[in-house]
Amino acid sequence: MAVKSTSHKNDTKKKNEGQAKKANGQANKINGQAKKTNGQAKKTNGQAKKNTASRKVADRKKASGKAVSKEWPKKLALGFGAVVVLYVLAAFFFSSRYFPRTEINGFSCQFKTVEQVKEMIRKGCMEYELVLEEREEKEEKLTSDQVALQFVDDGRLETIKSEQKSYAWIGAIFHKPVYEDAVTITYDENALIQSVDALECLKAENMKDPEAAYPSYVKESGKFEIVKEKLGTLVDKDSLMEKIRHALLSDQRNLNLSDENCYVEPAFYSGDKAILDATEKINRYLSTEITYDMGYTEVKVDQEQIASWLLTDEQANVIVDTDKVGDYVDWLGRNYNTCGIPRVFHTPENITVTVSGGTYGWRIHFQKEVEQLSLDVTTGEKIKREPVYRQTAYNRDQNGNDLHDTYIAISINAQTMWYYKNGQCLLTTPVVTGNTSKKMGTPTGVYEIAFKQRDHVLRGEDYESPVDYWLPFYEYRGIGIHDADWRAADAFGGVIYQTNGSHGCVNTPYEAVKSLFEMVKTGTPVVVY
């Protein structure tokens, strides 16, 4: 039993201790709440102090503002008064002096009196010296003594001053008062002309003509490139005189002849659009490729040749030099024309002869070919064509031989005519040529059958002879091949031609000329030797 009683006491004791701890916890909670309340109270008190300080500052500013608002009208009035006083004093100052920035005849006259300006201009005229700055780093001078430069006091300076109302002086700050030709300065015109004429820059040996920029062919690049202009030293005397006169009257002490455009300038500068366009065009022309088809060979016009024909005129227009084109066409004719040239001819008699003259052969039409070639150059295209011919020949082999293997051969000595076609002899006949005793011999040379005609009448000064077959080969003189029924069948060949020959034609037996007429074609070469 004693043990049970002790246990009960212990339980009671633990219960009392728990209640005490709980009471202490509540007390601590109440103390924390009290501390929090005290903190809020302190914060409220701080804000209150801050608000109180702000009100004090605001009150001080408000008081200060009231003081300022009472003082600024006084200060503004004082400032305005000072400005008015200064303006009036300045107006008084400028009542006898020129406005700020005033310039008269190039002289700076600001703040000066009329008398001061007069003295300044008078002294300036006496000491005047004009430096002429020329090209090639040269200089020359003109002095007042050389031209008798003088100031004339004629009251014009007083007039200018009277026009400057003193109360309006402030306007000069915004608008510079400049008076040109406002005072009378004189010089001796004759003395001026003599002095200018004596200048080194106007001597002929010192004046170099300007050269305009232009496109020029450069072989290395194979195209036209711009050659820069040359300024030269050719003085425009009228312009120089005008600029010097102005300088004398405006107290200008330096005159740069280049800047004042006193030189004759080049017609074009390298950067001018006209030169740039011309260079582009001329290079387009240069790209033209021209090849002549001569039948047996080709002739190409090379680029350098074309370049030599192209140039620009004074207006920078690209032109083709037709004279130089003509030189080329002339060369072409001399090398490839065959009309009238000496020809080595192997005769049917197995003899080699040289035959010159006549009308047969290839001949370029000079004027028309020059025109066509000049036009072709401007296309910038590839062109292959024959030359423009005045006349063409019947044929031409791979070596350029235009007799080749089809022709009519007439031997004066043998009084014989042959017709060859494609190398084969199709006709041989005796003939009678022109009467040599009467100086009517048939002309030698190479010709061609101009045309064929039946029933033709031969006419001369003292005869009319009808023929059945007419084949003219030297039409200009009326010479050809024809039948001659007035001759006997055995009256051809031999030496009859020497005393009883024709008027120059080739008389042919009837059957022979009939056969020839039927076989031969217009244009067939006729070799008379």
Side-chain angles (χ1 to χ4, degrees), residues 104-105 121 151-152 154 156-157 160 181-185 249:
I104 301 174
N105 277 54
I121 296 177
F151 164 64
V152 179
D154 55 2
R156 297 177 72 184
L157 286 171
I160 292 173
D181 193 24
V183 294
T184 302
I185 296 176
L249 299 178

Side-chain angles (χ1 to χ4, degrees), residues 211-282:
E211 296 180 16
Y214 65 96
S216 177
Y217 180 70
V218 178
K219 184 177 180 179
E220 291 73 17
S221 64
K223 64 179 182 179
F224 279 83
E225 297 177 4
I226 297 174
V227 175
K228 187 177 176 59
E229 69 283 346
K230 292 183 180 179
L231 296 179
T233 54
L234 181 62
V235 176
D236 181 342
K237 185 178 177 182
D238 291 339
S239 176
L240 178 61
M241 288 293 294
E242 179 186 348
K243 300 297 182 181
I244 290 176
R245 291 189 185 100
H246 180 268
L248 294 174
L249 299 178
S250 61
D251 195 44
Q252 181 181 342
R253 301 299 176 107
N254 287 78
L255 180 63
N256 187 296
L257 272 62
S258 291
D259 294 345
E260 296 293 339
N261 299 319
C262 295
Y263 288 106
V264 176
E265 299 297 329
F268 294 101
Y269 288 83
S270 55
D272 289 350
K273 185 177 184 299
I275 293 299
L276 296 174
D277 289 348
T279 304
E280 180 184 357
K281 178 180 287 188
I282 206 169

Side-chain angles (χ1 to χ4, degrees), residues 218-497:
V218 178
K219 184 177 180 179
E220 291 73 17
S221 64
K223 64 179 182 179
F224 279 83
E225 297 177 4
I226 297 174
V227 175
K228 187 177 176 59
E229 69 283 346
K230 292 183 180 179
L231 296 179
T233 54
L234 181 62
V235 176
D236 181 342
K237 185 178 177 182
D238 291 339
S239 176
L240 178 61
M241 288 293 294
E242 179 186 348
K243 300 297 182 181
I244 290 176
R245 291 189 185 100
H246 180 268
L248 294 174
L249 299 178
S250 61
D251 195 44
Q252 181 181 342
R253 301 299 176 107
N254 287 78
L255 180 63
N256 187 296
L257 272 62
S258 291
D259 294 345
E260 296 293 339
N261 299 319
C262 295
Y263 288 106
V264 176
E265 299 297 329
F268 294 101
Y269 288 83
S270 55
D272 289 350
K273 185 177 184 299
I275 293 299
L276 296 174
D277 289 348
T279 304
E280 180 184 357
K281 178 180 287 188
I282 206 169
N283 278 318
R284 187 168 66 250
Y285 289 1
L286 186 62
S287 66
T288 302
E289 295 182 14
I290 300 173
T291 303
Y292 284 106
D293 180 3
M294 308 304 294
Y296 66 97
T297 188
E298 292 182 351
V299 178
K300 185 173 182 178
V301 185
D302 64 40
Q303 186 184 60
E304 287 186 43
Q305 185 70 67
I306 294 176
S308 70
W309 303 339
L310 302 175
L311 65 156
T312 52
D313 63 14
E314 294 179 353
Q315 287 74 44
N317 298 311
V318 179
I319 59 175
V320 179
D321 189 334
T322 54
D323 288 339
K324 290 184 177 179
V325 173
D327 291 342
Y328 180 80
V329 173
D330 181 64
W331 172 87
L332 199 65
R334 283 186 280 107
N335 284 273
Y336 295 96
N337 282 346
T338 60
C339 181
I341 66 170
R343 289 178 172 84
V344 176
F345 179 62
H346 192 70
T347 72
E349 304 155 285
N350 202 25
I351 300 172
T352 299
V353 297
T354 299
V355 185
S356 299
T359 60
Y360 174 77
W362 300 84
R363 184 166 57 155
I364 296 171
H365 196 301
F366 178 81
Q367 189 58 44
K368 289 185 177 181
E369 179 54 38
V370 168
E371 293 173 0
Q372 185 60 50
L373 183 53
S374 299
L375 181 62
D376 288 347
V377 169
T378 65
T379 64
E381 299 176 355
K382 291 184 178 181
I383 297 173
K384 184 176 181 180
R385 63 173 176 83
E386 288 187 336
V388 180
Y389 286 110
R390 180 180 293 275
Q391 71 177 53
T392 59
Y394 183 75
N395 57 17
R396 180 166 49 187
D397 65 16
Q398 67 274 16
N399 296 315
N401 179 10
D402 55 8
L403 289 179
H404 198 35
D405 55 6
T406 298
Y407 54 85
I408 297 170
I410 301 171
S411 172
I412 302 295
N413 290 334
Q415 289 290 288
T416 303
M417 178 171 67
W418 298 266
Y419 172 53
Y420 280 81
K421 182 176 181 180
N422 297 327
Q424 291 186 347
C425 183
L426 302 183
L427 175 70
T428 302
T429 181
V431 293
V432 176
T433 60
N435 191 331
T436 56
S437 66
K438 293 184 178 180
K439 298 182 178 180
M440 294 180 181
T442 302
T444 59
V446 182
Y447 306 90
E448 64 181 54
I449 299 300
F451 58 88
K452 299 190 300 180
Q453 184 178 357
R454 290 292 309 273
D455 302 326
H456 179 69
V457 177
L458 304 174
R459 290 185 174 87
E461 292 183 2
D462 55 357
Y463 68 90
E464 283 190 2
S465 301
V467 296
D468 289 348
Y469 299 96
W470 171 235
L471 294 92
F473 59 82
Y474 194 0
E475 189 179 8
Y476 174 72
R477 286 182 56 182
I479 295 174
I481 302 168
H482 60 79
D483 53 290
D485 60 0
W486 56 88
R487 293 186 186 277
D490 58 354
F492 293 91
V495 294
I496 299 173
Y497 75 99

Side-chain angles (χ1 to χ4, degrees), residues 110-241:
Q110 64 176 355
F111 309 132
K112 291 182 173 62
T113 64
V114 172
E115 291 305 318
Q116 288 174 330
V117 171
K118 287 181 180 179
E119 182 60 26
M120 177 179 63
I121 296 177
R122 188 178 292 110
K123 184 178 180 181
C125 288
M126 292 175 60
E127 299 175 347
Y128 183 81
E129 185 176 82
L130 177 61
V131 177
L132 303 177
E133 299 174 3
E134 303 165 2
R135 285 178 179 165
E136 298 182 348
E137 298 183 355
K138 295 180 180 179
E139 282 190 357
E140 295 187 76
K141 294 180 180 179
L142 287 176
T143 65
S144 59
D145 291 340
Q146 288 178 278
V147 298
L149 192 67
Q150 296 183 45
F151 164 64
V152 179
D153 185 1
D154 55 2
R156 297 177 72 184
L157 286 171
E158 285 83 355
T159 300
I160 292 173
K161 182 66 204 77
S162 66
E163 291 174 352
Q164 289 190 343
K165 306 302 181 184
S166 60
Y167 58 80
W169 66 269
I170 198 168
I173 297 175
F174 307 101
H175 179 70
K176 182 178 180 180
V178 177
Y179 303 87
E180 295 181 355
D181 193 24
V183 294
T184 302
I185 296 176
T186 63
Y187 57 85
D188 188 321
E189 179 69 15
N190 290 330
L192 173 62
I193 292 173
Q194 290 178 6
S195 298
V196 171
D197 285 344
L199 291 172
E200 289 292 318
C201 65
L202 286 174
K203 291 183 178 179
E205 62 268 23
N206 295 327
M207 290 198 289
K208 303 173 186 175
D209 290 337
E211 296 180 16
Y214 65 96
S216 177
Y217 180 70
V218 178
K219 184 177 180 179
E220 291 73 17
S221 64
K223 64 179 182 179
F224 279 83
E225 297 177 4
I226 297 174
V227 175
K228 187 177 176 59
E229 69 283 346
K230 292 183 180 179
L231 296 179
T233 54
L234 181 62
V235 176
D236 181 342
K237 185 178 177 182
D238 291 339
S239 176
L240 178 61
M241 288 293 294

